[in-house]
Amino acid sequence: MFSGKEDRAISLLDVFRKHNDEMFALVGRDFTLSTCNRYEAALGNVSKFLYYKYKAKDIEIDQLTYSFISDYAFYLKAIRHISHK
């Protein structure tokens, strides 16, 4: 407040997008394009889950709970039919 800068809540999708941007910047050095495309797909799945479960476009990162993660895992498996093999 003293510096004139306002504290802004950090959102889940903002963190995810920043991560993905950093990964894309490392394509050809540490990551492949196909890996980064999977990160983008994961971002899309989180976004769809937020709307499905909460009718929200995003949430603050401090709202993440164990039940959020558990519900998301169930959503991926039961609703989206995505599983790890």
Side-chain angles (χ1 to χ4, degrees), residues 11-83:
S11 79
L12 173 61
L13 296 183
D14 284 344
V15 170
F16 215 131
R17 285 185 197 101
K18 182 180 185 300
H19 169 268
N20 287 4
D21 290 346
E22 291 171 355
M23 297 305 103
F24 272 105
L26 296 173
V27 167
R29 284 179 257 165
D30 290 334
F31 296 95
T32 66
L33 184 57
S34 63
T35 297
C36 291
N37 288 336
R38 285 190 207 99
Y39 285 133
E40 283 295 303
L43 172 62
N45 284 325
V46 170
S47 180
K48 289 174 187 172
F49 170 71
L50 286 170
Y51 189 78
Y52 171 82
K53 179 77 176 180
Y54 303 101
K55 302 294 185 249
K57 292 184 179 182
D58 205 350
I59 62 170
E60 293 179 12
I61 198 86
D62 64 359
Q63 291 178 299
L64 290 179
T65 61
Y66 176 79
S67 67
F68 176 93
I69 295 166
S70 179
D71 291 346
Y72 179 60
F74 177 81
Y75 168 81
L76 289 176
K77 293 175 185 177
I79 307 300
R80 300 281 297 158
H81 304 288
I82 299 172
S83 63

